[in-house]
Amino acid sequence: MKKIILTVITTTLGFSMLSGCSANEAASASVGVRPAFLVDQMQQSPLKEKLAQCSEGPFVRTDFSIGHRGAAMQFPEHTKESYLAAIRSGAGIVECDVTFTKDKQLVCRHSQSDLHTTTDVLAHPELAKKCTVPFTPANPLTGEKAKAECRTSDFTLAEFKTLKGKMDGANTMATSVEEYMQGTPKWRTDLYATNGTLMTHAESAALFKAHGVKATPELKSAVVEMPFNGFTQTMYADKLVNELKAAGFSAAETYLQSFDLNDIKHWVKNNPEFAQQAVFLDDRVFTDKNFKASLANMQELADSGVKIIAPPIYALLALNENGDIVPSDYAKYAKQAGLDMIAWSLERSGPLQGGGGWYYQTINEAIKDDGATMVILDVLAKQVGVIGVFSDWPATVTYYANCMDLK
């Protein structure tokens, strides 16, 4: 994928501030200290030596680095601040997960029903009472957990825009709203969560276009019954594409996403040009206990018009008889069927001591420390052959891609 250079002024935090230059002017990306920290954690190897030699840069933006919800490790996800952090750290493609409000306006949220954990909605009493499930405190005597569910479809766009994003999390044993909202995992931070600016999909598209990055919006599954007040699934899918076009995005600058194969097929039929880079997010590996990858089921996807497939990282990796991380059968069959692959999501699991958790479940035994992050990236890039990697901290992927001269 192509690299794009952007102008930065480095700050003491290891990030960068855009200097007001146009997206076409030459500049560099700032990756901060984390990538070098990860390299330092690696076991001695030729890969470590190679990566260590790149520590001084220079670094430029690359499409191999995809901002997952922006830069959600340290910034409130799907906020302007998170998106800018991803862009400044070299992500060439940035994601807005798309859902809709009560008045059928498209907004950036990972789920239609996550406002109670990703925003301050519960701190607004007049809005909190409109939630599908208003806050109910935990009962310490019985062990019953606190409850709340606030959906974007509970609110108009005007109401949505009064909210602020916060780090995703909730204290489920809270007896008050204030306690409930203090649920940030200890390996993340609230340092950059003081002013999370929520965005519509159209606003995110305009932001991405202004900064010269590509867009990868995901059409999220609705939790409300569709059609929603006359708003059908096809209207929803078409509205997303139309807003990208209105922002000036071409098909080549867009990677539409959906977990629903019917959405991909709809775009193939009705927006064939934009569907050329549509990404089928493959949840079969964790929703269907009987699923087993085969050349036949990968070829079936390709025949339906799918060009790019994106499963969780673990589906693309396996361990060989020596305990080395290698491409999985899934990855091999996808490649044989002519499918491009994107992996998700790096840097989302916290510290990797003890195996790394859900995202690495097929290779847990080979993961001993955070240095495994770079080994995993190397196998995904060189052996699996992915065309990009979603990451909650895009600087890590930017560093690797620049060091390996990935286009």
Side-chain angles (χ1 to χ4, degrees):
M1 289 183 165
K2 185 174 70 175
K3 293 180 180 177
I4 304 173
I5 302 176
L6 65 141
T7 299
V8 298
I9 302 173
T10 302
T11 71
T12 57
L13 293 175
F15 266 97
S16 54
M17 301 296 292
L18 294 173
S19 65
C21 299
S22 71
N24 294 323
E25 293 181 15
S28 61
S30 175
V31 299
V33 299
R34 180 163 177 79
F37 166 80
L38 295 175
V39 173
D40 288 343
Q41 302 305 304
M42 296 175 67
Q43 300 297 314
Q44 197 60 41
S45 67
L47 175 61
K48 179 176 182 176
E49 293 176 6
K50 167 70 173 175
L51 291 170
Q53 292 172 1
C54 300
S55 61
E56 300 303 314
F59 301 102
V60 296
R61 190 187 297 166
T62 168
D63 287 3
F64 192 77
S65 180
I66 306 173
H68 182 242
R69 314 186 197 183
M73 176 188 283
Q74 296 191 42
F75 288 79
E77 63 184 50
H78 294 306
T79 61
K80 181 178 181 180
E81 293 76 14
S82 187
Y83 293 150
L84 288 174
I87 293 167
R88 291 163 179 166
S89 59
I93 306 173
V94 185
E95 177 187 51
C96 164
D97 288 331
V98 179
T99 187
F100 55 86
T101 60
K102 186 175 183 178
D103 46 353
K104 296 172 277 191
Q105 300 303 304
L106 304 188
V107 294
C108 300
R109 287 291 92 198
H110 178 66
S111 168
Q112 192 171 42
S113 60
D114 72 3
L115 294 183
H116 50 290
T117 63
T118 65
T119 76
D120 66 346
V121 64
L122 294 178
H124 299 259
E126 72 285 0
L127 295 180
K129 65 184 180 182
K130 298 182 179 182
C131 291
T132 296
V133 180
F135 174 75
T136 302
N139 186 331
L141 296 179
T142 64
E144 186 176 1
K145 295 182 179 180
K147 298 176 183 177
E149 183 186 358
C150 303
R151 301 174 177 178
T152 58
S153 53
D154 291 334
F155 308 103
T156 65
L157 177 60
E159 291 170 329
F160 174 85
K161 292 288 283 184
T162 67
L163 306 178
K164 289 185 178 180
K166 72 177 189 69
M167 296 301 289
D168 186 16
N171 175 5
T172 59
M173 294 310 298
T175 57
S176 69
V177 164
E178 292 75 19
E179 289 179 350
Y180 184 83
M181 293 175 62
Q182 295 171 1
T184 303
K186 63 182 180 180
W187 50 270
R188 290 180 174 163
T189 179
D190 289 316
L191 187 61
Y192 305 111
T194 54
N195 189 34
T197 307
L198 302 193
M199 304 196 81
T200 66
H201 172 245
E203 288 172 339
S204 75
L207 181 73
F208 301 161
K209 189 65 176 175
H211 289 281
V213 297
K214 296 178 181 178
T216 181
E218 179 190 337
L219 193 72
K220 300 301 296 188
S221 297
V223 296
V224 295
E225 185 177 352
M226 298 293 278
F228 175 75
N229 294 335
F231 191 50
T232 67
Q233 185 69 21
T234 57
M235 291 167 65
Y236 180 27
D238 290 340
K239 187 176 179 70
L240 183 152
V241 176
N242 290 337
E243 288 189 350
L244 289 171
K245 291 178 179 178
F249 275 91
S250 67
E253 297 169 321
T254 305
Y255 293 82
L256 304 174
Q257 303 178 68
S258 180
F259 277 102
D260 189 339
L261 186 58
N262 289 323
D263 292 334
I264 305 294
K265 291 179 178 179
H266 173 76
W267 287 323
V268 168
K269 181 179 179 180
N270 296 279
N271 274 289
E273 187 178 5
F274 272 75
Q276 288 298 307
Q277 294 186 148
V279 181
F280 174 52
L281 300 165
D282 192 0
D283 63 357
R284 298 174 299 173
V285 296
F286 56 88
T287 60
D288 182 355
K289 64 181 181 180
N290 296 316
F291 174 75
K292 184 176 182 180
S294 68
L295 180 57
N297 56 39
M298 291 297 179
Q299 190 62 57
E300 184 178 359
L301 285 177
D303 292 343
S304 72
V306 173
K307 306 287 187 184
I308 306 173
I309 192 169
I313 288 172
Y314 73 82
L316 297 172
L317 303 175
L319 297 179
N320 65 14
E321 62 276 10
N322 297 320
D324 301 318
I325 301 172
V326 296
S328 66
D329 289 341
Y330 177 109
K332 295 173 184 176
Y333 290 135
K335 183 178 291 187
Q336 288 178 45
L339 296 170
D340 284 329
M341 291 168 279
I342 294 175
W344 52 268
S345 297
L346 202 72
E347 301 268 56
R348 188 155 184 82
S349 298
L352 298 188
Q353 290 91 336
W358 188 86
Y359 285 94
Y360 308 101
Q361 57 192 270
T362 56
I363 56 170
N364 284 161
E365 294 177 9
I367 298 177
K368 308 300 182 185
D369 51 45
D370 289 333
T373 301
M374 290 299 189
V375 177
I376 291 164
L377 262 177
D378 195 57
V379 176
L380 288 171
K382 294 181 179 176
Q383 297 184 48
V384 174
V386 299
I387 62 172
V389 176
F390 280 99
S391 179
D392 276 29
W393 201 242
T396 299
V397 183
T398 300
Y399 184 105
Y400 174 87
N402 275 260
C403 194
M404 298 301 172
D405 198 29
L406 298 179
K407 305 298 184 182

